[in-house]
Amino acid sequence: MVDEGTALDNPYVQGFIVPVPAGNQAGYRKAALDMWDIMKDYGAKRVVEAWQDEVPHGKQTDFYRSVKAEDGEIVVFSFIEWESREACDGAHEKMMQDERMKGFEDEKPPFDGKRMVYGSFAPVVELTKQPVGA
């Protein structure tokens, strides 16, 4: 749904999964692109937002349970690449102070952020990247 920026070798990665109303893909995509405009100004190198395609229901745990998805919601998986943890950490406070962030406060978010699951990850293994569709 969104793939902006340039992939890095050995990036520091922030990952997210979030429940989104199934009919709100356009709203989510717009919010993601608006946020990318801010993140890239503070050092983010790439963002990928992936709309649910094939997400099975598990017997004990799954993506739906992790975000307490409700009827009519799907799961979005996304990640942001940074050059380093220091770049990521240094950008956060600056982004929160950016005047453009105030625009998000005035809009109804396209998802329930209280049920978002997120974390930051240092790479251990990175396999050869292949172009999409190759």
Side-chain angles (χ1 to χ4, degrees):
M1 171 173 58
V2 173
D3 187 347
E4 297 288 328
T6 304
L8 297 174
D9 289 331
N10 202 34
Y12 185 72
V13 178
Q14 289 181 301
F16 306 84
I17 55 174
V18 62
V20 179
N24 207 9
Q25 184 175 12
Y28 185 89
R29 185 172 192 281
K30 179 190 178 315
L33 289 170
D34 289 348
M35 190 63 199
W36 169 245
D37 284 339
I38 297 169
M39 291 185 303
K40 69 182 177 184
D41 288 348
Y42 294 100
K45 299 300 180 186
R46 180 179 183 211
V47 66
V48 172
E49 302 276 354
W51 193 255
Q52 176 181 320
D53 182 33
E54 182 180 344
V55 178
H57 289 275
K59 294 192 188 271
Q60 293 185 9
T61 189
D62 57 30
F63 278 98
Y64 301 102
R65 287 182 183 115
S66 67
V67 295
K68 297 183 178 180
E70 299 172 356
D71 287 343
E73 291 182 328
I74 60 87
V75 178
V76 171
F77 175 83
S78 65
F79 63 90
I80 305 163
E81 292 184 5
W82 301 86
E83 286 184 355
S84 66
R85 179 176 181 170
E86 294 75 23
C88 177
D89 290 348
H92 181 74
E93 187 63 34
K94 294 174 187 170
M95 286 190 300
M96 299 284 69
Q97 300 302 319
D98 191 298
E99 288 294 316
R100 295 173 288 178
M101 291 296 285
K102 291 186 177 151
F104 289 103
E105 294 172 2
D106 299 335
E107 297 177 14
K108 182 180 187 292
F111 61 90
D112 181 355
K114 289 182 240 146
R115 293 184 285 136
M116 177 190 307
V117 175
Y118 59 91
S120 298
F121 304 87
V124 176
V125 175
E126 182 175 340
L127 303 176
T128 305
K129 294 179 183 170
Q130 296 293 324
V132 174

